[in-house]
Amino acid sequence: MRILVLGATGYLGGHVAERLRALPEATLLYGGRSPGADLPVDLATARPGPLAEALAALAPDAVVNCAGAVGGDAVALAEVNARGPAVLCAALRQAAPGARLVHLGSAAEYGPGRPGTRVGEDAPTRPAAPYGATKLAGTVAVTASGLDAVVLRVGNPVGPGAPVAGLPGSVARALRDAGPGPEAVLRVGDLSPYRDFVDVRDLARAAALAATRPGPLPAVLNISAGRAVEVRELVQGLVRASGFAGRVEETAGGSARSAAVGWQCSDVSAARAALGWAPRHTLADSVAALWASVAGAPVPAR
């Protein structure tokens, strides 16, 4: 089975590619902007015709699109998160209409949730900021494409290698650099919002299952832990893992996107039914693996 992973050099894509490489029946192909890619492409600027020609030459049986942007202005977000999936779908319709497309969406597409509840895939989508809106536009492009496609609507990913662009990765690196002394201070934003964290290794397993599962799949599947916790719990776990002896001050300004969403929690029962998938890693597992990856220690076994 020939599987093309787009965005394989990114955080999520790297874990997805690693998972797929372990499948004995898979021949892995790489697409993106990095040198040596089997499919050199930037979905933010690609045109459907030339992309279709390149895809036809590769003849993939499945495509996993992990390319996406989490930062930047609305234009940059739209180019990658909305235009990119639309161009990919148009090219696949020409070049490989029978290929399975797995696209990584985001729980940010739902917008603010109601405290104490989980949202299913049929819940209204009310994104609170350009990131969620552009991810939703990408989801619509995929689900309306007519392809054999599924969108994995991902919760807040955490785990080994988390980038500094997100809160888990930035806090872990700040703790590493803060030093062990009691005079050290970690300044963060408001940690009271609730988020549904998912281990990046569990996400990678879901993507591999979605790419290789025979038969039709639902158009959208939630992939998260199915449990909302205060962001404070994540930070406290990193503090314990690091041995940080200083104090934590919630005085730094947080993102407007985070402030607008006090609760996120997804119902993952549809993914369990369709893929036989369920999260295996606890938040404590994810925090331990993240800290190990930042501190240069061996990452705990999966």
Side-chain angles (χ1 to χ4, degrees):
M1 184 177 189
R2 294 170 64 81
I3 305 176
L4 171 65
V5 179
L6 297 168
T9 58
Y11 173 46
L12 304 185
H15 282 276
V16 169
E18 182 181 357
R19 185 79 189 188
L20 289 169
R21 274 197 302 270
L23 301 180
E25 71 274 18
T27 298
L28 206 57
L29 305 167
Y30 299 91
R33 295 175 294 180
S34 60
D38 299 290
L39 177 65
V41 65
D42 181 352
L43 290 179
T45 58
R47 291 182 293 126
L51 180 56
E53 292 178 8
L55 284 168
L58 292 177
D61 299 297
V63 177
V64 184
N65 183 27
C66 304
V70 297
D73 62 21
V75 173
L77 289 169
E79 287 172 344
V80 180
N81 296 339
R83 183 188 186 278
V87 169
L88 176 61
C89 288
L92 281 172
R93 282 196 297 269
Q94 296 180 52
R100 163 74 51 82
L101 172 60
V102 180
H103 174 72
L104 300 191
S106 171
E109 297 168 37
Y110 290 120
R114 185 160 56 88
T117 65
R118 297 185 178 96
V119 294
E121 290 82 355
D122 58 351
T125 47
R126 298 169 298 185
Y131 171 72
T134 58
K135 291 298 288 184
L136 178 58
T139 288
V140 172
V142 171
T143 58
S145 67
L147 296 166
D148 175 12
V150 57
V151 175
L152 304 184
R153 203 166 258 165
V154 181
N156 287 64
V158 63
V164 72
L167 183 134
S170 66
V171 168
R173 286 161 179 80
L175 288 168
R176 180 195 62 192
D177 298 339
E183 72 284 354
V185 179
L186 174 67
R187 292 184 175 86
V188 293
D190 178 18
L191 300 179
S192 65
Y194 283 76
R195 293 291 181 266
D196 191 348
F197 294 101
V198 60
D199 193 286
V200 68
R201 297 163 294 181
D202 283 330
L203 163 61
R205 185 165 46 86
L209 287 168
T212 58
R213 197 80 165 182
L217 292 174
V220 178
L221 290 172
N222 290 334
I223 301 296
S224 69
R227 171 178 175 259
V229 300
E230 264 192 316
V231 177
R232 188 173 290 111
E233 184 174 328
L234 169 77
V235 173
Q236 289 172 343
L238 282 169
V239 166
R240 288 191 296 271
S242 68
F244 179 72
R247 66 182 189 276
V248 178
E249 294 183 356
E250 297 181 37
T251 56
S255 72
R257 185 179 86 202
S258 296
V261 181
W263 174 276
Q264 278 186 336
C265 190
S266 297
D267 183 345
V268 297
S269 57
R272 187 187 303 271
L275 301 176
W277 175 91
R280 293 176 179 171
H281 295 279
T282 65
L283 182 58
D285 295 334
S286 305
V287 165
L290 169 55
W291 176 250
S293 70
V294 168
V299 173
R302 301 184 178 204

